[in-house]
Amino acid sequence: MKLSDIIASVGVTILLVGFFLNLTKRIESDGKLYASLNFIGAGMCGVSSYMISFYPFVLLEGVWCLVALFSLLKVSRGTSVK
C-alpha cells in the first residue's frame, strides 16, 4: 500500500466517523468536533489526491476543507449556535 493510499484511507475514515456520529445524533452538525473531523478528513483526502495527481478531487476536497475551516472558525468565535 502506498503512502497516498494510507493517507486517503485515514482521511475517509475520519469523514465517515463524523458522518456516522452526526447521523446517530451523537454530535451536532454545527459543533466544533464535526467541523474538525471534516477539516482534517477532507484535508487528508485532498493531500492524497494531490499525491496521485487526481485534480478533480483535489478541488473537491480543497473546497470541503475550506468550508469546514470556515465553519470551525465560526464556531470558535462563538458566532454559531453551538
Side-chain angles (χ1 to χ4, degrees), residues 22-70:
N22 179 253
L23 282 179
T24 58
K25 308 288 188 215
R26 294 187 178 139
I27 61 174
E28 297 291 327
S29 63
D30 56 353
K32 193 173 193 175
L33 179 57
Y34 188 69
S36 297
L37 291 172
N38 274 283
F39 176 70
I40 294 166
M44 292 179 77
C45 290
V47 167
S48 69
S49 296
Y50 179 78
M51 291 172 74
I52 63 168
S53 301
F54 194 57
Y55 298 111
F57 272 85
V58 173
L59 177 62
L60 172 69
E61 299 300 337
V63 170
W64 190 335
C65 191
L66 288 175
V67 170
L69 179 62
F70 177 76

Side-chain angles (χ1 to χ4, degrees), residues 4-18 37-46 48 61 64:
S4 60
D5 295 333
I6 295 168
I7 294 171
S9 296
V10 173
V12 167
T13 300
I14 291 169
L15 289 171
L16 290 174
V17 165
L37 291 172
N38 274 283
F39 176 70
I40 294 166
M44 292 179 77
C45 290
S48 69
E61 299 300 337
W64 190 335

